[in-house]
Each structure stands twice: as structure tokens, then as C-alpha cells.
Amino acid sequence: MADDNKKQPQSNDQEENVTLTNRQGHPVTDNQNVRTVGNRGPITMENYNFLEKITHFDRERVPERVVHARGAGAHGVFEAYGTVGDEPISKYTRAKLFQEKGKQTPVFVRFSTVVHGGHSPETLRDPRGFATKFYTEDGNWDLVGNNLKIFFIRDPLKFPDMVHAFKPDPITNVQDMERFFDFIGNSPEATHMITFLFSPWGIPANYREMQGSGVNTYKWVNEAGEAVLIKYHWEPLQGIRNLLQDEANQIQSLDFNHATIDLYDAIENGNYPEWELCVQIMEDNYHPELDFDPLDPTKLWPEDKFPFLKVGKMILNRNPDDYFNEVEQVAFGTGVLVDGLDFSDDKLLQGRTFSYSDTQRHRVGSNYQQLPINAPHSRVATNHSGGQMRYQSDRAPGQNPHVNYEPSSLGGLKEAPKPGKDHEPEYYDARLMREKIDRPNDFAQAGETYRNFEDWERDELVKNLGANLAQCNEEIRSLVLGNIKQADEEYHRRVQEELDKVLADPNMGKPLHRAHAAAKKAEDKGHDAKPY
């Protein structure tokens, strides 16, 4: 009797399906040996399969993302509730994906760390990216944000400087907290963000159990062209978990890929993570009753005035088939909006909207939207021509292929009918200027956030700030502590006391940068070996 578990010989069809070929479709009969003059002689130039294989290998890596380089992703579906809170959602937006209860839209989500490189540990203190691509019937919508609901800066002109300060030193190629806090101390609007970042909220336990936020302020537009201001929030139905620094260190000592494998294993085992999408809604005006500008991304909108209203639920239920094709090449942009969604005048959002898509064109290529992971599931018809790696024409059925411009009377593409009244916001009667917004109020919410933390979160925040500020010179420490003092007196006192304790430790002297300390420890602990 045949052993059922024994592998059966493949049929001819099966053998053909798994036969190795090159990119030209030619079967590869020897993938172990290059062609040489004699079996130990030099390689000849006609080794086509070798040259094709090695030159592709040499180009396997596209330029790494400047930020959000380390990432993990998954496919899923978003299901609309058809309402926003207790009201029909059509009152506020005509976006089709939200209108019907139970309507499902495919999604792809990429989680990431922000500052660190592609193979950096996922335990490092850093905001986490939370970017969602909705493949709607009206084309793609990208909701691009982070796990933390605010940001370091409010003006996009400061973004390159911020990233440079947080990235490795251009001479030593090592990240340096003195450089980090030099920028932070001279940017008082960042005080609120570092209050979150150096608390346990700066190290989420994994990607499944963290919040997401659009960070910036957007708009919703209804059928009549009326608009409201919107903040987006993803709330995990698994709950929220964060790590202490000591716990993160222990996890990193085991492995530095824990969040990626956690997401993969959960989906592989059918433990599909879910989030509810909530929005905060505000009338589109200046709001003089608030002590901050609602367009300021360094601020939270108070929930007691602007409650979280549920609009739908997302479930991630399928892992990528290929990491590079999907997670690495997926390209997001804050300008990727569908009808019924719009921009606010948030300066940082305006800057991101140019920068994100410009980065994708540089990183992946001018035709990055034709890649399957980026391509909309709806029909595409454009007059774009040429460009690197273009592999199809965006022609409509019946379009005259000789006409790649508009307007035309020769059978070219035509403008679409308007789905509703245009939103026509009133623009400012003001001078063109370079000036920060009114009501910057850089410190009040930082103090409020500190006071709202639980005791253990405050303890961890103080411990982390003290340890990291100890690596800075006195001028930078004074700048940062001065900002913290304006946020909350107790907050300032406790960080100052922790800093003094670290600086007074006789075993430390002047604290070394962690890289210096690690290098010294490696030298001290290294075991002698004889040459071989």
C-alpha cells in the first residue's frame, strides 16, 4: 500500500510550472556554475544568465525612505458604519466609501518607525508611522499619520532640519541626543511632543496594540459644498500597550524584529487585528474661543468639546505575498484624497502634500502609481506619457490613442461631471508674510498631558528625560528645562532632580554618549583570541 505522506512524482505540467527561468523566460539548466575557461579558469563575458542575475541583485534595493524606512504591512478591509456618531455621515461628507452601512473597501496598511533606518531595532524610542491606503471606487485615498496624535513642528520649513537633527551625525554617523535636544530646546513647540515621546508612549509594545492618527487637520465636504474641519483617529480594539525603556532593552537583547513578526504571526494564526476609525469634527473657522489654533499639529483637540465619533472599522486579515513588492514599494501621499475629502490650511499638511509624492517619484520612479500595490482598483485614464519604468498606457476604452492631451475634439479624454458643489473656502484678506501663527501656546498642553499621565508614566518620562539630557551640554539642558518649566513646575522639578542624580553618580562622571559607553564595554569585555 502506498504511503499517503510520501511525495508523489510531479506531472509534466507541474514540473513546467516550477522550472527556473531567467527574465526573458529562458529555462535555466545550470544555476550552480558560471561558464569558465576550464573548470577553474576565468569567467567569460557571454555568461548572460549570470550577468542578468547579478546585475538585478546589485539593484535589489531602491533608495531607502528618508523617514519611515523600517516598516511592516498587511492587507485588510474597511467597513463603513454609514453614520458619524448618531448622524447620517452624508450631513458632513459625500465621500462614497462612508455612505452605506456595511460598505467594504479594501485597504493596505504600512506601520513603521519614523527616524531610524531600514534594519533598525523596533524597540527604539520613536514615533510609529500608521499609513492606510483605501482602494475606493473613486480611486485611492491615503490616510498618512503616526501613532501619536501630535507632531514636533507646525511649519514644514523646519522639517528637513528636524530630521537632520534626529538622524546620525554627518561626521560620526551616530545618532546623538545632544543634537536631538539642541533642535528641541530651540523649538519650544516640540515640548508637547517630547512629553509623549519620552514617556512609555514613545515605545509601543507592537503595531497591533497602538493607536493611529492623521495628525494634521483635514476637511470633509458634503453635497452642498459645505465643509467642516476633521481629525482622524484609529483606535485599536485589541487595547493599547506601551513599554518601559528597561523592558524594551530586554526585548531588543532577544531580537530586534519583534513588532514585524508579531503582526505577521497574528494574521497568520487568524488573530486579525481591528481598529475603529473615529473623527473629531469642528466648524471651519478661526475659533477664537480656543487658546490654540485648530490647524496647529502640535495640539490635541479636547475630547470634551470635540468627541471621538465612530465612522467605521478596519480589519487586517492577509499578510503580503512579497515584502519588497508590497511593503517596501507601497507609496503614500497626504495629497491622495477622494471626492468629499479635502485639505485644510494646516501649513505642515500643505508641505507634506508636496513632499510625500515628490519623494515617491524619486524613490520608486515617476510611474510608481502603476505598481500593483499602488494602483487604484478603479479605472485609470490619463494623458501621462513616458517616464522611467512605464509599462502600460492609461487609455480608456474608445479613446483615440493619437490624442494624449485635453481639450480635444478628436476623441481624446473628457472632463468628468462634478459629483457635487465645489467647496469654495473664503481666503484671507491678509498680507503675504513669514510669521508663526497666532496663539502658539507652546506649553499649556504639554503640562496638561504630563498631569493626565498615570504615576508610572510620569515616572518613566522623568527617568528617560533625565538620562538623555545628561548627554547634553549645559546650554542645551537649560533650554529644554526652561521649556518644561513653562509647561508644569512639578514636571520641571522632577526632571531637574533626575538629571542632577545622573550627573552626580560617581560611577558615571560626565555621562558618555551610549555609543561611547558601548564601545568601551566591548573593549573591556572582549576575549583575546590567537590569530589563525
Side-chain angles (χ1 to χ4, degrees):
M1 185 174 177
D3 183 353
D4 291 337
N5 294 324
K6 193 173 182 180
K7 276 192 174 180
Q8 300 299 313
Q10 290 182 319
S11 68
N12 287 339
D13 286 346
Q14 287 175 314
E15 288 177 359
E16 288 181 8
N17 287 340
V18 297
T19 296
L20 177 66
T21 76
N22 64 19
R23 271 286 176 84
Q24 303 289 2
H26 306 156
V28 176
T29 57
D30 189 343
N31 196 42
Q32 320 306 318
N33 306 290
V34 294
R35 199 174 188 187
T36 58
V37 181
N39 64 6
R40 62 187 297 268
I43 299 174
T44 57
M45 282 298 293
E46 76 271 16
N47 269 268
Y48 180 79
N49 284 342
F50 167 71
L51 294 176
E52 286 291 293
K53 184 177 181 180
I54 196 65
T55 54
H56 185 276
F57 172 80
D58 293 344
R59 294 161 174 80
E60 277 185 0
R61 298 293 180 266
V62 298
E64 184 175 283
R65 287 171 166 87
V66 178
V67 287
H68 299 277
R70 173 79 200 239
H75 297 269
V77 65
F78 174 78
E79 184 172 312
Y81 293 161
T83 54
V84 54
D86 297 326
E87 298 182 287
I89 204 163
S90 58
K91 177 179 177 182
Y92 298 103
T93 178
R94 62 183 187 237
K96 291 178 184 175
L97 81 157
F98 291 128
Q99 300 304 312
E100 303 168 24
K101 182 178 181 181
K103 185 181 182 68
Q104 295 191 339
T105 301
V107 297
F108 185 81
V109 176
R110 187 177 189 273
F111 304 103
S112 57
T113 54
V114 173
V115 173
H116 306 287
H119 288 282
S120 56
E122 293 181 303
T123 46
L124 296 179
R125 187 172 303 282
D126 201 7
R128 301 302 193 266
F130 194 131
T132 308
K133 188 178 290 292
F134 297 78
Y135 301 95
T136 87
E137 63 190 281
D138 276 345
N140 291 350
W141 169 36
D142 291 351
L143 179 54
V144 192
N146 291 333
N147 67 314
L148 300 175
K149 301 176 188 295
I150 57 170
F151 202 57
F152 297 94
I153 55 174
R154 63 172 71 95
D155 195 303
L157 193 61
K158 298 182 71 167
F159 190 78
D161 299 289
M162 183 200 82
V163 174
H164 286 173
F166 296 177
K167 287 280 191 180
D169 183 305
I171 307 302
T172 66
N173 197 38
V174 174
Q175 286 168 308
D176 188 335
M177 293 312 294
E178 188 164 80
R179 286 163 40 85
F180 177 94
F181 279 110
D182 185 27
F183 180 87
I184 294 296
N186 285 288
S187 303
E189 69 270 29
T191 307
H192 194 191
M193 185 65 169
I194 65 162
T195 302
F196 275 108
L197 187 62
F198 284 85
S199 78
W201 290 89
I203 313 179
N206 52 55
Y207 295 132
R208 292 180 302 111
E209 296 172 303
M210 73 178 195
Q211 295 170 301
S213 170
V215 179
N216 293 109
T217 301
Y218 289 86
K219 286 183 182 180
W220 273 0
V221 180
N222 65 14
E223 195 75 27
E226 301 161 336
V228 289
L229 300 178
I230 292 288
K231 287 270 196 181
Y232 294 105
H233 305 282
W234 290 111
E235 296 299 317
L237 298 183
Q238 300 76 238
I240 303 168
R241 289 178 183 268
N242 299 317
L243 295 171
L244 303 181
Q245 183 66 64
D246 289 344
E247 295 164 343
N249 294 344
Q250 293 169 26
I251 293 166
Q252 185 175 325
S253 71
L254 293 173
D255 195 79
F256 61 91
N257 307 284
H258 80 283
T260 292
I261 201 65
D262 173 85
L263 179 67
Y264 181 89
D265 284 348
I267 294 172
E268 196 73 3
N269 296 329
N271 181 23
Y272 303 139
E274 299 178 343
W275 287 260
E276 278 191 308
L277 181 61
C278 302
V279 296
Q280 291 176 285
I281 299 177
M282 188 185 295
E283 289 184 11
D284 183 13
N285 62 51
Y286 186 73
H287 287 275
E289 76 282 4
L290 300 175
D291 65 359
F292 66 93
D293 191 313
L295 303 183
D296 184 349
T298 70
K299 302 295 189 293
L300 297 170
W301 290 4
E303 286 187 56
D304 58 341
K305 294 184 176 68
F306 310 100
F308 280 34
L309 305 172
K310 299 173 183 178
V311 299
K313 183 172 74 171
M314 176 174 71
I315 180 170
L316 298 183
N317 55 16
R318 181 165 65 88
N319 282 314
D321 294 325
D322 185 280
Y323 180 89
F324 180 84
N325 288 353
E326 296 162 67
V327 183
E328 186 61 27
Q329 291 198 126
V330 68
F332 298 93
T334 56
V336 185
L337 305 178
V338 294
D339 181 66
L341 314 179
D342 211 336
F343 307 98
S344 76
D345 296 332
D346 178 343
K347 295 182 194 179
L348 189 65
L349 174 61
Q350 304 280 324
R352 289 177 76 201
T353 295
F354 170 79
S355 178
Y356 272 61
S357 295
D358 186 53
T359 295
Q360 307 300 0
R361 283 186 284 271
H362 161 70
R363 193 179 67 87
V364 187
S366 55
N367 289 302
Y368 71 92
Q369 293 121 320
Q370 290 192 341
L371 292 171
I373 192 63
N374 296 319
H377 293 188
S378 57
R379 185 181 64 85
V380 173
T382 77
N383 285 321
H384 293 326
S385 293
Q388 184 183 29
M389 296 300 290
R390 185 178 182 86
Y391 63 90
Q392 66 186 28
S393 296
D394 301 336
R395 293 200 186 104
Q399 178 186 350
N400 183 345
H402 298 282
V403 179
N404 60 350
Y405 53 88
E406 193 281 326
S408 168
S409 54
L410 298 176
L413 298 173
K414 303 295 183 184
E415 293 173 325
K418 289 184 179 179
K421 188 176 179 182
D422 285 345
H423 171 52
E424 297 178 344
E426 291 185 24
Y427 277 93
Y428 306 100
D429 180 13
R431 279 188 266 177
L432 199 62
M433 61 179 66
R434 296 178 183 271
E435 195 173 285
K436 74 166 61 173
I437 61 173
D438 297 333
R439 297 174 291 168
N441 205 352
D442 292 326
F443 309 110
Q445 285 200 7
E448 188 176 347
T449 293
Y450 170 81
R451 293 186 291 274
N452 286 338
F453 279 159
E454 296 181 36
D455 289 343
W456 67 277
E457 292 175 313
R458 280 193 291 269
D459 292 345
E460 181 72 1
L461 167 64
V462 167
K463 179 181 177 183
N464 291 327
L465 281 175
N468 285 283
L469 284 170
Q471 300 173 45
C472 304
N473 67 37
E474 186 174 350
E475 180 183 0
I476 292 169
R477 294 198 299 261
S478 296
L479 280 170
V480 176
L481 286 165
N483 291 340
I484 290 173
K485 187 173 185 178
Q486 293 192 67
D488 185 274
E489 289 280 353
E490 180 195 279
Y491 183 10
H492 168 263
R493 175 182 59 77
R494 291 190 62 188
V495 174
Q496 180 70 68
E497 289 172 353
E498 181 68 21
L499 174 62
D500 292 343
K501 185 172 74 173
V502 174
L503 293 174
D505 187 340
N507 296 317
M508 294 193 72
K510 182 175 182 346
L512 294 170
H513 185 289
R514 282 176 300 195
H516 293 297
K520 187 175 187 307
K521 188 170 186 178
E523 182 182 16
D524 294 342
K525 297 292 185 182
H527 298 275
D528 291 335
K530 293 179 181 179
Y532 64 89

